[in-house]
């Protein structure tokens, strides 16, 4: 018996090996199944980069051209792959250059582990060269952060970081490691984290709440579902489709919820929000039960809260208790993962049919089509429109591409006109609205889904914020396709100046460089089109390319994105012109 017990202990024991803290960092990543990181080296993180050189056969590092580019690439990778994105940076400016991306990942629930080097622990607080309190700076925009000052802390902290980043509602985690901790030695052993005291990743599902929600749904005459990215993050696409098809409820998405359900599904009635579709916005204020699934009632979705769905009973399926009743008061909150809660509620909801109610959505869609969509796709227009470009891309990709959008008018057009047949196909900066996100995120997205076509849709303004990442494409040969919609304006700001500031175009006119020459300088095949008759062939040439490709499309300079809910207005006050 003692012999058997000893054999079991030997088999289950976590073996330890002596190594430096820097090597332990790489070993921790490999233990978590992470073999790819984006980053930029510097003095305080150099010991880790030295180990990266030794492990280059097992671990791939992408040298971005700026730390913000690195973290956006890590975001793009995480969003399409469902894995945790990893990024490295040095101390001081290297670390602070990550902050925008960290904030972006926090508000959009993207799982990241950010690893920053730090000055030696004996220099902390002394204003040493390139010392910055990145722990203090990043605390408001991380799910968790920690400063390691001893090599022995590394395995436990990394295991905890990965668990926190990917569990429950995902988010970014930052680990700051002093240089002496990287040089120090430890007896390395690794055990994955499965729980953290005082941190409850998933709230307890209450079956009574599920039954209450089902009762409201079964009684509803005009129900409306609004789903968000929580369906994708919870890998609940199939459960969600089963739920809407059983209940027959019209379903609209938020911007980040796009691609959880195929665009052409008969129950998909469009997108809600400031530049969403006319029907779901207007009918939000006519439905009798509003079922929110994996969304957080962002102000861009709700408009004026004082007039948002006041006539409706509100059901909220949510994993994060902090989001319940934060913006919109709910009648029933169903806490838990949507993958689990949607399965549970299927036992209690009736087979539904809301064809008469659906006719209201179809009727309003026809109004939007006549006033907005047909106008945007009007071949008689003198200049090209952004909408035309997306429609041509749909024809070539058949809705199977990953569309990565930057921030601005083109982003709203991409959301409205791109076709999505597969989940995790819409990568964008939602909550923070980070210009410059598109190009580096597309690089990461292509690396996260190498067998899929990845097309970046970017405006001329946002493109120039991270244009240096063309150097990353040059070095990695990643076959991302880049479409810059060039109207020589900061388009979204200009639209507001036109509509609400009497066309006072202050600081929105762009004098742009020759984008084709720039991309050719980075060894990227390029083209520019400005005529409608050349557009289809140009897009086909781009999508046929097996390598990276840049396409500039010169579009109407003062084209606006409609529908539009003016700031502070009700969703039912959405404008078509």
């Amino acid at each position: 018996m003692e012999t058997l017990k000893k054999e079991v202990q030997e088999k289950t024991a976590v073996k330890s090996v002596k190594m430096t803290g820097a090597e332990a960092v790489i070993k921790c990543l490999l233990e978590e199944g992470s073999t790819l990181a984006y980053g930029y080296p510097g003095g305080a993180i150099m010991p880790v980069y030295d180990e990266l050189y030794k492990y280059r056969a097992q671990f791939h590092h992408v040298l971005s051209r700026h730390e913000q580019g690195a973290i956006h690439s890590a975001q793009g990778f995480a969003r399409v792959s469902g894995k945790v994105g990893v990024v490295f940076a040095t101390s001081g400016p290297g670390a602070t250059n990550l902050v925008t991306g960290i904030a972006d990942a926090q508000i959009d629930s993207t799982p990241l582990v950010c690893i920053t080097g730090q000055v030696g622990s004996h220099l902390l607080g002394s204003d040493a060269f390139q010392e910055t309190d990145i722990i203090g700076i990043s605390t408001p925009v991380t799910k968790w952060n920690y400063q390691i000052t001893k090599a022995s802390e590394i395995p436990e902290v990394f295991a905890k970081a990965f668990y926190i980043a990917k569990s429950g509602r995902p988010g970014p985690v930052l680990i700051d490691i002093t240089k002496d901790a990287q040089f120090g030695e430890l007896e390395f052993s690794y055990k994955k984290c499965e729980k953290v005291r005082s941190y409850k990743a998933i709230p307890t599902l209450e079956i009574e709440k599920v039954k209450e929600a089902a009762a409201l749904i079964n009684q509803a005459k005009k129900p409306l579902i609004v789903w968000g990215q929580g369906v994708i993050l919870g890998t609940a696409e199939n459960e969600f489709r089963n739920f809407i098809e059983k209940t027959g409820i019209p379903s609209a998405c938020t911007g980040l919820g796009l691609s959880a359900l195929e665009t052409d599904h008969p129950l998909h009635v469009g997108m809600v929000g400031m530049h969403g579709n006319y029907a779901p916005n207007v009918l939000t204020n006519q439905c009798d039960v509003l079922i929110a699934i994996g969304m957080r009632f962002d102000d861009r979705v709700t408009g004026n809260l004082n007039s948002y769905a006041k006539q409706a009973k509100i059901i909220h399926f949510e994993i994060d208790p902090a989001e319940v009743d934060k913006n919109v008061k709910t009648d029933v909150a169903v806490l838990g993962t949507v993958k689990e809660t949607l399965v549970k509620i299927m036992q209690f909801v009736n087979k539904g049919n809301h064809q008469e109610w659906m006719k209201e959505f179809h009727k309003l869609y026809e109004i939007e089509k006549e006033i907005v969509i047909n106008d945007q796709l009007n071949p008689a227009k003198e200049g090209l429109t952004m909408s035309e470009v997306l429609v041509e891309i749909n024809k070539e990709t058949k809705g199977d591409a990953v569309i990565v959008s930057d921030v601005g008018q083109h982003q709203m057009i991409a959301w409205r006109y791109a076709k999505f047949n597969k989940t995790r196909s819409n990568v964008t900066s939602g909550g923070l609205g980070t210009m410059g996100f598109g190009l580096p995120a597309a690089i990461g997205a292509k690396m996260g889904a190498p067998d899929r076509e990845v097309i970046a849709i970017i405006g001329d303004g946002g493109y120039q914020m991270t244009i240096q990442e063309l150097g990353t494409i040059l070095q990695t040969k990643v076959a991302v396709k880049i479409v810059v919609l060039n109207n020589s304006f900061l388009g979204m700001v200009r639209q507001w100046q036109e509509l609400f500031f009497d066309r006072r175009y202050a600081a929105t006119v762009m004098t742009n460089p020759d984008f084709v020459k720039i991309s050719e300088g980075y060894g990227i095949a390029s083209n520019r089109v400005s005529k409608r008759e050349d557009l289809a062939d140009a897009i086909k040439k781009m999508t046929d390319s097996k390598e990276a490709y840049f396409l500039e499309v010169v579009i109407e300079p003062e084209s606006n994105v409609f529908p539009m809910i003016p700031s502070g207005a009700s969703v039912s006050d959405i404008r078509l012109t």
Side-chain angles (χ1 to χ4, degrees):
M1 187 68 176
E2 286 298 318
T3 304
L4 180 61
K5 184 177 180 182
K6 186 176 180 181
E7 288 177 358
V8 171
Q9 288 175 339
E10 287 175 353
K11 287 180 180 178
T12 57
V14 180
K15 294 182 180 180
S16 62
V17 181
K18 195 169 186 178
M19 64 180 64
T20 65
E23 184 175 6
V25 168
I26 310 304
K27 295 289 283 185
C28 289
L29 294 173
L30 293 173
E31 288 283 351
E32 290 290 344
S34 179
T35 58
L36 172 67
Y38 303 86
Y40 206 95
I45 195 73
M46 205 173 294
V48 169
Y49 271 84
D50 189 48
E51 295 298 332
L52 279 171
Y53 181 82
K54 297 175 189 177
Y55 279 86
R56 61 190 183 278
Q58 298 164 259
F59 195 95
H60 181 51
H61 176 272
V62 175
L63 176 62
S64 301
R65 294 309 188 259
H66 189 284
E67 291 87 355
Q68 184 177 346
I71 194 164
H72 290 330
S73 290
Q75 288 176 270
F77 171 84
R79 293 275 283 275
V80 300
S81 69
K83 299 176 182 178
V84 177
V86 177
V87 61
F88 288 108
T90 194
S91 62
T96 57
N97 282 342
L98 295 178
V99 172
T100 295
I102 295 172
D104 193 289
Q106 173 79 336
I107 201 165
D108 282 354
S109 305
T110 305
L112 299 179
V113 170
C114 307
I115 302 157
T116 56
Q118 186 54 274
V119 299
S121 56
H122 66 290
L123 293 173
L124 292 173
S126 70
D127 291 334
F129 177 67
Q130 290 193 334
E131 182 203 358
T132 301
D133 180 13
I134 193 61
I135 294 296
I137 290 169
S138 66
T139 294
V141 291
T142 49
K143 193 175 177 184
W144 182 68
N145 63 15
Y146 189 88
Q147 186 175 75
I148 294 175
T149 58
K150 296 178 181 177
S152 59
E153 297 178 286
I154 290 172
E156 184 178 354
V157 171
F158 268 74
K160 186 176 178 181
F162 271 87
Y163 173 72
I164 291 173
K166 64 188 177 183
S167 62
R169 180 180 178 178
V173 169
L174 183 138
I175 305 170
D176 193 42
I177 314 175
T178 61
K179 200 166 184 179
D180 51 320
Q182 296 172 54
F183 279 125
E185 292 191 334
L186 73 155
E187 290 288 338
F188 179 84
S189 62
Y190 199 81
K191 182 180 179 182
K192 287 191 177 183
C193 181
E194 296 179 353
K195 65 177 181 179
V196 175
R197 191 178 67 177
S198 78
Y199 167 60
K200 191 171 184 178
I202 301 171
T204 303
L205 188 153
E206 297 180 40
I207 198 66
E208 288 305 315
K209 295 294 184 182
V210 174
K211 290 179 180 178
E212 287 178 38
L216 286 176
I217 292 168
N218 290 337
Q219 295 164 14
K221 302 300 182 186
K222 295 182 176 183
L224 172 62
I225 290 170
V226 178
W227 88 85
Q229 189 187 200
V231 174
I232 298 170
L233 296 175
T235 63
E237 295 91 343
N238 289 336
E239 291 79 4
F240 175 69
R241 184 182 292 102
N242 292 339
F243 173 69
I244 67 167
E245 288 178 352
K246 182 176 182 180
T247 58
I249 298 175
S251 302
C253 65
T254 66
L256 289 183
L258 281 163
S259 84
L261 183 71
E262 56 271 27
T263 306
D264 293 332
H265 192 284
L267 291 170
H268 191 329
V269 294
M271 184 178 71
V272 293
M274 181 171 281
H275 289 287
N277 292 99
Y278 188 55
N281 274 305
V282 169
L283 296 178
T284 291
N285 281 358
Q286 295 182 32
C287 68
D288 57 1
V289 176
L290 179 63
I291 305 136
I293 303 177
M295 56 86 82
R296 58 187 180 84
F297 290 109
D298 177 75
D299 64 295
R300 286 297 176 103
V301 167
T302 65
N304 188 336
L305 285 169
N306 293 324
S307 57
Y308 181 77
K310 292 300 180 181
Q311 79 294 337
K313 296 288 186 182
I314 308 291
I315 301 169
H316 196 177
F317 288 80
E318 178 58 49
I319 195 170
D320 185 355
E323 294 294 347
V324 174
D325 294 335
K326 186 173 82 173
N327 295 325
V328 173
K329 179 67 177 173
T330 59
D331 292 278
V332 181
V334 183
L335 293 174
T337 67
V338 290
K339 196 175 186 72
E340 182 182 10
T341 54
L342 289 177
V343 168
K344 289 291 184 185
I345 202 168
M346 286 286 279
Q347 305 171 41
F348 306 107
V349 291
N350 299 331
K351 180 74 174 173
N353 186 323
H354 296 283
Q355 289 185 359
E356 290 304 312
W357 173 228
M358 277 292 294
K359 288 178 182 177
E360 296 297 314
F361 289 88
H362 296 320
K363 188 187 304 180
L364 293 182
Y365 172 76
E366 289 303 319
I367 294 173
E368 178 182 344
K369 184 178 179 181
E370 182 179 349
I371 297 174
V372 178
I373 298 172
N374 289 346
D375 176 68
Q376 282 290 301
L377 302 178
N378 184 358
K381 277 183 174 290
E382 182 177 342
L384 282 167
T385 66
M386 292 178 281
S387 309
E388 289 179 274
V389 179
L390 266 298
V391 169
E392 287 297 333
I393 288 173
N394 288 336
K395 290 177 183 177
E396 289 298 323
T397 64
K398 311 302 182 187
D400 292 334
V402 175
I403 302 295
V404 183
S405 54
D406 205 82
V407 171
Q409 286 182 315
H410 64 277
Q411 177 189 36
M412 299 299 111
I413 292 295
W415 287 3
R416 286 177 47 80
Y417 291 90
K419 296 283 187 181
F420 298 108
N421 294 331
K422 300 177 182 178
T423 189
R424 294 187 178 273
S425 295
N426 171 49
V427 179
T428 193
S429 172
L432 196 64
T434 304
M435 290 179 69
F437 175 89
L439 178 59
I443 293 170
K446 183 62 177 177
M447 292 181 176
D451 296 330
R452 298 190 65 187
E453 182 79 282
V454 175
I455 301 176
I457 308 295
I458 312 175
D460 49 309
Y463 185 54
Q464 293 177 83
M465 287 192 168
T466 49
I467 196 170
Q468 75 283 341
E469 296 308 315
L470 292 176
T472 308
I473 297 174
L474 171 65
Q475 187 159 349
T476 62
K477 308 300 182 187
V478 62
V480 67
K481 311 298 171 61
I482 307 158
V483 179
V484 167
L485 303 180
N486 185 1
N487 58 8
S488 296
F489 271 108
L490 296 177
M492 187 61 82
V493 182
R494 185 215 56 77
Q495 178 169 333
W496 280 62
Q497 288 173 333
E498 176 187 335
L499 298 177
F500 309 115
F501 294 89
D502 297 326
R503 292 180 180 268
R504 292 188 292 274
Y505 291 166
T508 48
V509 178
M510 299 285 287
T511 300
N512 290 319
D514 188 326
F515 291 126
V516 169
K517 284 184 178 179
I518 290 172
S519 60
E520 287 176 346
Y522 282 98
I524 300 169
S526 305
N527 193 11
R528 177 191 292 115
V529 293
S530 57
K531 296 178 180 178
R532 185 167 285 107
E533 57 266 28
D534 298 330
L535 180 63
D537 286 344
I539 288 174
K540 179 170 174 45
K541 186 176 180 181
M542 176 188 72
T543 55
D544 283 348
S545 174
K546 303 301 181 185
E547 299 177 345
Y549 196 97
F550 172 82
L551 175 63
E552 177 186 1
V553 183
V554 180
I555 58 170
E556 284 190 327
E558 296 184 65
S559 179
N560 290 331
V561 182
F562 287 105
M564 178 183 182
I565 302 170
S567 181
S570 167
V571 290
S572 52
D573 292 331
I574 187 168
R575 292 176 51 169
L576 290 171
T577 58

